[in-house]
Amino acid sequence: MTDRTQLYIDGTWSDGASQIENRNPSDISDLIGMYAQADASQLDTALEAARQAQPLWWAAGIQKRHDVLMAIGTELMARAEEIGRLLSREEGKPLAEGKGEVYRAGQFFTYFAGEALRQHGDLAESVRPGIEIDVRREPVGVVAIISPWNFPVATPAWKIAPALAFGNAVVWKPANVTPASAIALTEIIARQDIPKGLFNLVSGPGRDVGQRLVESALVDAISFTGSVPVGRGIAAAAIQNMTKVQMEMGSKNPLIVMDDADLDLAVMHAAGSAFGGTGQKCTAASRLIVHAAVHDAFVEKLVAATKAMKVGHAFGDGTQIGPVVSEAQLVQNLDYIGLGKSEGAELLCGGDRLEMSTDGYYMAPAVFANTRNDMRINREEMFAPITAVQRADSYEDALSLANDTQFGLTAGIMTGSLARASHFRANMRAGCVMVNLPTAGTDYHVPFGGRGASSFGPREQGSYAAEFYTTVKTAYVSAGEPQ
């Protein structure tokens, strides 16, 4: 790994107009570095460069794009431990999760290397004689990618890989909380034989660089993962230029536990879904809807399992829950604990800041019980190691509670009934439904996305990604008669 802290614009590493501090949330005395922040002129340079490079990349052909993406993916997988350690150091997730994320990022690139070769179109008969019709996909152009801090390598990977595979240029604005991971990925991409300006890393404040990026007429498409308010602002800005948008936003994912569920399995999946990644996942199970017949037994087991989970330094042996990402996030989490209590929810365990051997943003995972679906802790995305249990009197009641939300990303059910599982799969209003599995955890070769306030625009991942990263062209050809 290098100690690089710069921007990457028009094929060149360059200093920013300013810098931000990056510290280890497991040990805030550990200064990772001072990282560059772009200004408006640097962003404009990146956009112009991307606009010039994109046609060259499209002309390079599918074999070239395949080879480049395969090289990126192969290197990411080979260096998963090294880059994963850096990721965990600046984001706080346990080292095993950091390494796993980087390896998965590599798989996105190798998958889309294959998709680059599968650029198939359609032929159609015309209703008019002597005319041939073909339908093909072409690049949308310059893609702005705005990614979050919670998966600082995997999320940009599943956006950048299809963008490049389908012949687009990229201007990437990563989250400011995790700049080192962004540079690690950029270094790998920058080493490839690609046109100068095809890929640009432009870190900077959202109110300045981010806003200018989404308002730019040089951007043809915007792929965003983040909060609902920011997503709404991006959509409002994008419509001024009729810019194509794809947005993954908030969630409030339910996990239903029925009276015929394997309770030990249900507890394992509930705890893993709620607290994995310190609860900082858009797929986290923050609502546990439990059938009355097994409610008390489930809650008792869940509290015991939660108390047994080891909170610690991201590099610590046996750490299951790392620190939250920042002081601001920790304060917000503790505010939600206070809010839940004020709403009348019963805090059964956790919810307090922990003192550890290193000064970091540690929090004990929290379980609320006796909650109602109208409480804010059951309405708002907390992005925290906090989950809330609700009681349901029947399957119908549980499904109704699960669907009573503005969000619809993932949802799960624990049941031994095939009939209930099938009904849930058909009637749960979510983009991803899980049966006897955690709400968190998806595959890289199939579509990912949600409904309602969780998503807007075409799906991400798998072959469905082509809907966003390409535009369809229909060609009519009259060849005439041979002479």
Side-chain angles (χ1 to χ4, degrees):
M1 298 294 295
T2 71
D3 294 325
R4 195 185 301 278
T5 60
Q6 297 168 297
L7 310 170
Y8 186 71
I9 297 172
D10 195 14
T12 302
W13 290 99
S14 58
D15 294 333
S18 60
Q19 291 182 319
I20 57 169
E21 188 178 83
N22 183 22
R23 289 189 178 272
N24 181 349
S26 293
D27 179 2
I28 60 175
S29 68
D30 175 21
L31 176 64
I32 300 169
M34 301 296 294
Y35 286 80
Q37 296 277 278
D39 62 12
S41 65
Q42 290 176 306
L43 173 62
D44 292 346
T45 299
L47 288 167
E48 291 287 356
R51 179 64 70 183
Q52 295 299 314
Q54 188 274 319
L56 302 176
W57 180 238
W58 176 238
I62 61 174
Q63 187 65 55
K64 179 66 173 180
R65 293 195 291 277
H66 166 276
D67 294 348
V68 167
L69 266 69
M70 186 62 72
I72 295 168
T74 300
E75 183 170 347
L76 279 166
M77 290 187 285
R79 296 175 60 197
E81 181 159 359
E82 173 195 0
I83 299 173
R85 179 170 288 274
L86 174 65
L87 188 161
S88 293
R89 182 184 173 197
E90 74 169 351
E91 195 272 346
K93 65 183 60 177
L95 182 57
E97 293 184 26
K99 292 188 291 187
E101 177 180 338
V102 175
Y103 194 89
R104 173 52 60 92
Q107 290 176 314
F108 282 118
F109 276 97
T110 57
Y111 171 82
F112 280 106
E115 284 295 289
L117 300 178
R118 291 188 282 270
Q119 303 275 316
H120 300 160
D122 298 305
L123 294 176
E125 294 292 330
S126 175
V127 297
R128 296 168 287 171
I131 296 176
E132 296 178 344
I133 303 172
D134 70 66
V135 182
R136 65 186 68 193
R137 290 189 178 274
E138 295 183 350
V140 70
V142 174
V143 179
I145 291 173
I146 303 173
S147 61
W149 50 260
N150 62 325
F151 285 93
V153 177
T155 300
W158 77 55
K159 297 173 184 292
I160 295 166
L164 297 179
F166 295 122
N168 300 285
V170 170
V171 177
W172 176 27
K173 183 200 169 306
N176 275 338
V177 179
T178 49
S181 296
I183 287 175
L185 176 56
T186 298
E187 285 182 321
I188 295 173
I189 297 172
R191 279 197 294 273
Q192 309 307 314
D193 182 19
I194 58 177
K196 185 169 72 81
L198 180 73
F199 179 85
N200 302 270
L201 172 69
V202 186
S203 304
R207 65 184 179 276
D208 298 325
V209 171
Q211 192 64 30
R212 189 177 184 87
L213 178 61
V214 300
E215 291 176 351
S216 175
L218 297 178
V219 171
D220 298 295
I222 302 165
S223 182
F224 165 76
T225 297
S227 71
V228 174
V230 174
R232 287 183 173 136
I234 289 173
I239 198 63
Q240 303 306 312
N241 296 314
M242 299 298 177
T243 305
K244 196 173 186 180
V245 293
Q246 172 193 69
M247 301 190 296
E248 295 297 333
M249 298 171 286
S251 63
K252 200 65 187 170
N253 309 302
L255 179 65
I256 295 174
V257 179
M258 292 309 302
D259 53 344
D260 58 355
D262 178 330
L263 281 194
D264 291 332
L265 183 65
V267 167
M268 181 179 72
H269 287 337
S273 296
F275 306 128
T278 320
Q280 299 171 146
K281 293 182 179 182
C282 60
T283 54
S286 56
R287 292 190 297 149
L288 305 179
I289 302 169
V290 184
H291 194 285
V294 295
H295 175 276
D296 292 352
F298 172 83
V299 168
E300 181 180 358
K301 288 175 176 285
L302 176 65
V303 169
T306 302
K307 289 179 177 178
M309 297 186 80
K310 182 179 179 181
V311 179
H313 194 292
F315 297 162
D317 290 339
T319 294
Q320 295 171 285
I321 301 175
V324 301
V325 74
S326 67
E327 178 76 30
Q329 187 67 45
L330 179 58
V331 169
Q332 178 179 293
N333 295 354
L334 297 177
D335 285 347
Y336 270 114
I337 294 295
L339 176 64
K341 292 177 179 178
S342 71
E343 290 183 309
E346 180 184 2
L347 182 63
L348 298 182
C349 66
D352 51 333
R353 183 169 188 168
L354 298 177
E355 298 296 327
M356 311 294 283
S357 60
T358 55
D359 186 10
Y361 307 126
Y362 299 101
M363 176 180 174
V367 176
F368 278 110
N370 296 320
T371 73
R372 303 183 313 275
N373 217 36
D374 62 350
M375 292 178 173
R376 284 177 58 192
I377 58 170
N378 280 321
R379 309 305 294 179
E380 300 174 9
E381 182 177 48
M382 295 180 285
F383 231 56
I386 304 170
T387 195
V389 180
Q390 299 178 70
R391 188 188 303 263
D393 294 326
S394 65
Y395 167 73
E396 292 76 17
D397 184 29
L399 180 63
S400 176
L401 288 169
N403 275 324
D404 180 19
T405 176
Q406 66 171 319
F407 301 110
L409 183 55
T410 67
I413 187 170
M414 304 297 301
T415 181
S417 166
L418 179 60
R420 283 172 170 169
S422 297
H423 187 274
F424 176 81
R425 183 172 61 179
N427 293 279
M428 182 65 220
R429 293 192 295 273
C432 304
V433 295
M434 321 299 194
V435 176
N436 294 327
L437 288 167
T439 59
T442 57
D443 287 3
Y444 61 87
H445 66 300
V446 290
F448 175 80
R451 297 170 64 162
S454 290
S455 296
F456 185 82
R459 285 289 188 261
E460 299 196 274
Q461 301 181 24
S463 60
Y464 286 70
E467 294 296 326
F468 176 72
Y469 292 99
T470 65
T471 186
V472 174
K473 177 181 284 184
T474 305
Y476 296 83
V477 179
S478 175
E481 295 297 326
Q483 301 297 320

